[in-house]
Amino acid sequence: MTNRDEVAAVRPLTLDWVSRHLNVGERIVRAEALHGGITAEMRRLIIGTPDGGTRDLVLRSFVDPFSVGHAEDWLNREAGALILLAGTGVRAPGLVAVDPTAAHCEFPSLLMTHLTGRTVLDDEGIETRVPLLARQLVAIHALRPVERPKKYVTLTTADTVVTPKCADAAVWASAIDVIRRPAPPYEGRFLHRDFQPGNVLFDVSPPSLAGARITGVVDWAATSWGPADLDVAHCSTNLALLHGPAWGLRFSEAYEEAGGVLATAASERLYWHVRDGLACSEEVQQVAQPWRNAGRTELTTRAVEERLDAYVTALMDALG
């Protein structure tokens, strides 16, 4: 595909909108599709500058009907979070422009700066990355915005959980009973709400991943106010499915070692961890596909279901 063809792949109204938010003398010279997201279409835009150099921006557009229906809320949350995070110790993209209602673009869109680094989903180096992820999440939870984001939402109910075919039905029935209870009391924190390896960028030095460091956190569209346990539980579930149940259990320990504070009672920790694990049961295929696209071809839907079952079982054994 030629540079002209790549740029033409950006829809005409969106292309005009982006161009209006560039500096004088700048132009879009190339566009590249970014992979790994579930809900949005992502493109990296290479911008030519008057001095002959380039800089990169990222265009995020919600295009499928379900996402479009939620886009105004999601993009407003993300824009607000990016403004809040500017100048803090949490590295995130900078907001350039946002069109949450598609008033100017074909679809609701957000334009932001591009961060260096890449997502790392391989098993190699996981023992180094887990403490880094934990420290980063502690830093996010330490933020105290003047205006709190909306309260967290959990859509999963006891009736919507999808028990894997490979699962021990009795264990899952007990886990489902856990989320029938009212949510435990909690001290509110600023939540990313989708903090997991797919939304964290690392600078790594091949061939060794031992020197990895975090260069930024992306996808702030679900920013919320709620219990730290919920963010920890979400990352734990993703680590369990990517790298095995033991790493899901390990993340809570790493979070506390980094100075984070979780619920004191085991029953309260169990509630949040089980709630997130059971929520994943409803979207295993959606979760697994981007991982396979990123090279983790062994993570078939069946393999991820088996890991989820093992993780839920481990949670019930450890905290139940």
Side-chain angles (χ1 to χ4, degrees):
M1 182 180 283
T2 66
N3 288 357
R4 180 178 298 177
D5 289 337
E6 290 171 342
V7 173
V10 180
R11 297 172 182 86
L13 292 178
T14 303
L15 190 63
D16 290 342
W17 177 74
V18 170
S19 297
R20 292 199 298 273
H21 289 91
L22 301 180
N23 298 324
V24 175
E26 291 186 332
R27 70 193 191 286
I28 305 172
V29 297
R30 193 164 74 252
E32 301 172 352
L34 296 176
H35 303 288
I38 296 176
T39 60
E41 181 181 273
M42 306 288 293
R43 291 187 184 278
R44 177 183 176 186
L45 306 179
I46 294 81
I47 310 300
T49 57
D51 62 2
T54 61
R55 67 185 182 103
D56 294 346
L57 297 176
V58 173
L59 175 66
R60 177 183 178 93
S61 299
F62 291 104
V63 299
D64 70 85
F66 175 81
S67 296
V68 168
H70 294 272
E72 183 174 3
D73 176 45
W74 290 346
L75 290 180
N76 281 330
R77 287 193 196 212
E78 182 154 32
L82 298 186
I83 292 170
L84 166 69
L85 293 165
T88 70
V90 177
R91 190 142 187 252
L95 178 67
V96 177
V98 62
D99 182 15
T101 61
H104 307 284
C105 305
E106 284 85 352
F107 294 98
S109 299
L110 183 143
L111 186 66
M112 58 191 143
T113 59
H114 177 266
L115 296 178
T116 60
R118 63 180 177 87
T119 57
V120 182
L121 305 179
D122 301 328
D123 287 334
E124 181 186 358
I126 183 59
E127 65 282 352
T128 299
R129 296 194 304 277
V130 161
L132 296 178
L133 289 168
R135 288 199 290 272
Q136 181 66 81
L137 190 54
V138 169
I140 292 171
H141 292 166
L143 296 172
R144 295 293 182 268
V146 174
E147 183 177 345
R148 293 179 180 178
K150 294 180 180 180
K151 181 183 176 182
Y152 76 92
V153 173
T154 57
L155 300 178
T156 299
T157 70
D159 297 325
T160 59
V161 173
V162 180
T163 302
K165 294 179 181 178
C166 60
D168 183 321
V171 171
W172 275 69
S174 296
I176 291 170
D177 282 342
V178 169
I179 68 169
R180 294 185 194 276
R181 308 169 192 162
Y186 62 87
E187 183 176 354
R189 290 285 183 267
F190 180 83
L191 306 183
H192 181 282
R193 201 58 186 94
D194 191 18
F195 185 86
Q196 42 93 2
N199 284 329
V200 180
L201 304 178
F202 285 88
D203 175 26
V204 294
S205 303
S208 172
L209 299 181
R213 66 180 182 89
I214 291 176
T215 60
V217 181
V218 299
D219 194 355
W220 296 85
T223 301
S224 308
W225 189 260
D229 289 78
L230 190 53
D231 259 0
V232 171
H234 188 64
C235 191
S236 296
T237 300
N238 279 267
L239 288 170
L241 302 188
L242 274 167
H243 308 295
W247 288 108
L249 298 174
R250 168 73 182 114
F251 187 68
S252 292
E253 298 173 358
Y255 180 83
E256 292 185 300
E257 289 166 0
V261 177
L262 296 173
T264 302
S267 60
E268 295 177 358
R269 296 192 185 202
L270 179 66
Y271 177 89
W272 298 113
H273 277 75
V274 166
R275 173 166 283 288
D276 192 85
L278 297 185
C280 190
S281 75
E282 301 172 28
E283 51 188 20
V284 169
Q285 188 170 355
Q286 282 182 291
V287 169
Q289 186 62 55
W291 292 344
R292 290 197 295 274
N293 293 343
R296 295 294 304 272
T297 54
E298 80 280 11
L299 294 179
T300 62
T301 299
R302 177 62 183 273
V304 174
E305 285 179 340
E306 290 174 350
R307 284 191 173 182
L308 178 59
D309 175 44
Y311 177 57
V312 170
T313 300
L315 286 174
M316 296 300 292
D317 288 342
L319 299 172

